[in-house]
Every structure is written in structure tokens, then in C-alpha cells.
């Protein structure tokens, strides 16, 4: 991708694409996944572009992202029954969108291990 183009999550982070918003602050946006695999499937992104979470050297960003996950879990009433948090990383991790994001999955039992 050239530096002129924005990736799809950069566009969502800049409020340029319509999403079903769940949570936002200066740094992060959380919205419903377009192809949900669970009754609750939310994606939390940083507004700033990092291709993968391995490209984030600031542990503060990673910590605040996880605090954002807690906010989402509380606001969607996932905290009592539990939920699954996933960060897919690169090829073997099954990452398809190369902009750092965290999946928040809930509303049903999540089996283990992943396929
Ligand atoms: P990954 O496989 O990279 O971990 O997950 C990317 C996720 O983003 C997928 O679950 C996919 O359905 C979701 N997604 C991709 N593009 C869009 C979009 O434009 N809008 C929304 N709401 N979700 C998207
Ligand atoms: Zn991006």
C-alpha cells in the first residue's frame, strides 16, 4: 500500500467509513465486525496505523488497548459470562487486515483450541 492510500481501518479510525460504533476515545475505536462469528463480535483498533501488534513498541498503547477491551466488555455486558479476546498476527495467526486490531467475541461459548 502506498503512503498516499489509507487502509480500511485507518479510514474507520478517521471516522471516514460508516461502522456500528461501540466505543471510542482519542486513541481507539471499537465497532461491530462486518462478518460476525459470534453473537457479539467487536473489533477494537488504534486510530494510529500499525501493521501488526509486533510493530508497536510503546507498551502504553498496548496496555490502553486492553483497557479499551475492558470498557467494551463492560458496556456490552460480557464481563459476567466471559468472552474471548484475540489478536491475529501475520500469516500463521490468520491476520487479514494489516492494521493492529483486537477481536472481542462473546455471547456464546468459545471452544478451544482454535482450528
Ligand atoms: P483479522 O482476520 O485481520 O484478524 O480480522 C479482520 C476482521 O475485520 C475480520 O473479522 C473482518 O470481518 C473485519 N472487517 C474487515 N473489513 C471490515 C470493514 O470494513 N468493516 C467492519 N465492520 N469490519 C471489517
Ligand atoms: Zn491503517
Amino acid at each position: 500500500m502506498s503512503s498516499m492510500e489509507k487502509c480500511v481501518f485507518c479510514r474507520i479510525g478517521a471516522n471516514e467509513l460508516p461502522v456500528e460504533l461501540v466505543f471510542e476515545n482519542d486513541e481507539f475505536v471499537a465497532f461491530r465486525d462486518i462478518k460476525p462469528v459470534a453473537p457479539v463480535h467487536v473489533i477494537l483498533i488504534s486510530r494510529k496505523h500499525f501493521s501488526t501488534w509486533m510493530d508497536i513498541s510503546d507498551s502504553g498503547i498496548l496496555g490502553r488497548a486492553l483497557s479499551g477491551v475492558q470498557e467494551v466488555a463492560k458496556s456490552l455486558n460480557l464481563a459476567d459470562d466471559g468472552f474471548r479476546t484475540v489478536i491475529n498476527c501475520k500469516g500463521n495467526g490468520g491476520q487479514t487486515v494489516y492494521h493492529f486490531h483486537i477481536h472481542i467475541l462473546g455471547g456464546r461459548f468459545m471452544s478451544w483450541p482454535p482450528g
Side-chain angles (χ1 to χ4, degrees), residues 22-35:
V22 170
F23 163 87
E24 70 176 330
N25 63 21
D26 286 356
E27 214 173 7
F28 304 104
V29 181
F31 53 90
R32 304 266 179 187
D33 197 291
I34 205 167
K35 277 182 164 176

Side-chain angles (χ1 to χ4, degrees), residues 8-9 12 19 31-35 41 43 88 94-97 101 103:
V8 61
F9 285 180
I12 290 172
V19 287
F31 53 90
R32 304 266 179 187
D33 197 291
I34 205 167
K35 277 182 164 176
H41 188 172
I43 301 288
N88 295 325
Q95 185 173 3
T96 60
V97 177
H101 59 277
H103 294 256

Side-chain angles (χ1 to χ4, degrees), residues 18-111:
V19 287
E20 203 184 319
L21 201 67
V22 170
F23 163 87
E24 70 176 330
N25 63 21
D26 286 356
E27 214 173 7
F28 304 104
V29 181
F31 53 90
R32 304 266 179 187
D33 197 291
I34 205 167
K35 277 182 164 176
V37 299
V40 177
H41 188 172
V42 169
I43 301 288
L44 182 140
I45 64 169
S46 54
R47 292 191 193 269
K48 186 171 176 190
H49 182 87
F50 302 95
S51 294
T52 82
W53 71 300
M54 296 302 282
D55 299 301
I56 303 177
S57 53
D58 178 350
S59 59
I61 294 176
L62 294 172
R64 291 191 295 278
L66 291 181
S67 296
V69 171
Q70 289 183 335
E71 293 302 314
V72 170
K74 283 185 227 161
S75 70
L76 297 182
N77 292 314
L78 300 175
D80 286 345
D81 288 345
F83 59 98
R84 176 71 50 87
T85 304
V86 173
I87 306 177
N88 295 325
C89 189
K90 300 188 183 173
N92 278 357
Q95 185 173 3
T96 60
V97 177
Y98 277 71
H99 177 126
F100 166 60
H101 59 277
I102 304 179
H103 294 256
I104 301 150
L105 299 153
R108 66 166 171 83
F109 177 76
M110 301 294 149
S111 59

